[in-house]
């Protein structure tokens, strides 16, 4: 049986771990926000729409699994090229603009998928059941339609904003409440307001 002191020490250690994860999510939100912006802009162009649509053509296998495996192995989404994807788009009659658009979408899509995976591994996963439903619906493949990818980016922007707001709020809260634990922050009205607003937004999207 753990003593009161051991239990308190364990809680403090766990709180420090969670605190670090929240601040890391805030930093990652900058990179993710840039990727979201690029996808949103590209999906409003003819070549972007064509790049997603080409995945639906007969004989073209969904590039989703390949996007993840190649991207994660490369570890650098800014420069990696997905050769299988390029060949698939070319075989489906896509021109160079469509190929370039598909490559860009694939890189940013893979980056966001990887960020979601990292968040889940660290226990920072879905905040609500409706968020889990949204993720299940829109993260399965890029092959469905431009609208599905737009849904994915819309949800990611909402979650990304939440991660940044929580990180900012934690830093401000710590300045105003020195020597207070992360657990106290999670119990604060500041955090609860952010969490409730986020849940309301995901409920509206589900």
């Amino acid at each position: 049986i753990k003593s009161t002191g051991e239990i308190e020490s364990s809680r403090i250690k766990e709180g420090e771990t969670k605190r670090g994860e929240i601040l890391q999510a805030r930093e990652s939100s900058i990179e993710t926000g840039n990727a979201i912006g690029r996808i949103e802009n590209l999906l409003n162009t003819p070549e972007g729409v064509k790049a997603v649509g080409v995945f639906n053509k007969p004989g073209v296998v969904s590039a989703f699994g390949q996007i993840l495996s190649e991207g994660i192995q490369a570890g650098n989404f800014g420069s990696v090229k997905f050769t299988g994807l390029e060949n698939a788009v070319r075989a489906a009659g896509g021109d160079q603009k469509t190929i370039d658009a598909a490559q860009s979408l694939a890189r940013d899509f893979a980056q966001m998928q990887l960020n979601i995976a990292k968040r889940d591994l660290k226990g920072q996963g879905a905040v609500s059941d409706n968020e889990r439903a949204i993720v299940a619906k829109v993260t399965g493949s890029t092959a469905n339609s431009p609208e599905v990818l737009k849904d994915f980016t819309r949800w990611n922007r909402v979650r990304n904003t939440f991660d940044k707001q929580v990180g900012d709020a934690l830093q401000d809260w710590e300045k105003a409440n020195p020597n207070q634990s992360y657990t106290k922050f999670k119990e604060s009205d500041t955090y609860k307001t952010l969490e409730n607003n986020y849940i309301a937004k995901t409920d509206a999207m589900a």
Side-chain angles (χ1 to χ4, degrees), residues 89-109:
V89 175
R90 197 179 297 280
D95 57 14
Q96 190 58 49
K97 280 189 175 182
T98 305
I99 290 171
D100 292 344
Q103 293 281 357
S104 178
L105 286 172
R107 285 192 295 269
D108 288 327
F109 184 75

Side-chain angles (χ1 to χ4, degrees), residues 83-140:
T83 55
L85 176 58
E86 179 173 349
N87 294 336
V89 175
R90 197 179 297 280
D95 57 14
Q96 190 58 49
K97 280 189 175 182
T98 305
I99 290 171
D100 292 344
Q103 293 281 357
S104 178
L105 286 172
R107 285 192 295 269
D108 288 327
F109 184 75
Q111 181 64 66
M112 289 194 293
Q113 286 282 8
L114 185 58
N115 286 347
I116 290 172
K118 286 179 178 178
R119 202 160 55 204
D120 288 344
L121 286 172
K122 290 180 179 179
Q124 299 168 244
V127 174
S128 70
D129 289 338
N130 274 332
E131 181 180 0
R132 293 184 186 91
I134 292 168
V135 175
K137 183 176 76 171
V138 301
T139 61

Side-chain angles (χ1 to χ4, degrees), residues 64-192:
F64 174 67
Q66 182 180 345
I67 287 169
L68 283 183
S69 62
E70 291 183 6
I72 291 172
Q73 287 169 14
N76 183 355
F77 292 102
S79 62
V80 67
K81 283 193 174 183
F82 305 99
T83 55
L85 176 58
E86 179 173 349
N87 294 336
V89 175
R90 197 179 297 280
D95 57 14
Q96 190 58 49
K97 280 189 175 182
T98 305
I99 290 171
D100 292 344
Q103 293 281 357
S104 178
L105 286 172
R107 285 192 295 269
D108 288 327
F109 184 75
Q111 181 64 66
M112 289 194 293
Q113 286 282 8
L114 185 58
N115 286 347
I116 290 172
K118 286 179 178 178
R119 202 160 55 204
D120 288 344
L121 286 172
K122 290 180 179 179
Q124 299 168 244
V127 174
S128 70
D129 289 338
N130 274 332
E131 181 180 0
R132 293 184 186 91
I134 292 168
V135 175
K137 183 176 76 171
V138 301
T139 61
S141 174
T142 56
N144 294 314
S145 71
E147 287 306 314
V148 171
L149 194 48
K150 285 180 179 178
D151 284 344
F152 178 71
T153 54
R154 276 193 288 266
W155 166 73
N156 254 288
R157 186 171 288 287
V158 171
R159 175 59 195 245
N160 204 53
T161 299
F162 173 71
D163 286 341
K164 185 177 185 305
Q165 287 176 335
V166 171
D168 288 343
L170 174 58
Q171 291 179 323
D172 291 341
W173 188 86
E174 287 179 336
K175 290 177 183 176
N177 300 273
N179 302 318
Q180 292 292 315
S181 68
Y182 170 76
T183 301
K184 291 295 184 182
F185 168 70
K186 287 291 293 287
E187 294 171 350
S188 69
D189 290 340
T190 297
Y191 177 80
K192 290 299 182 184

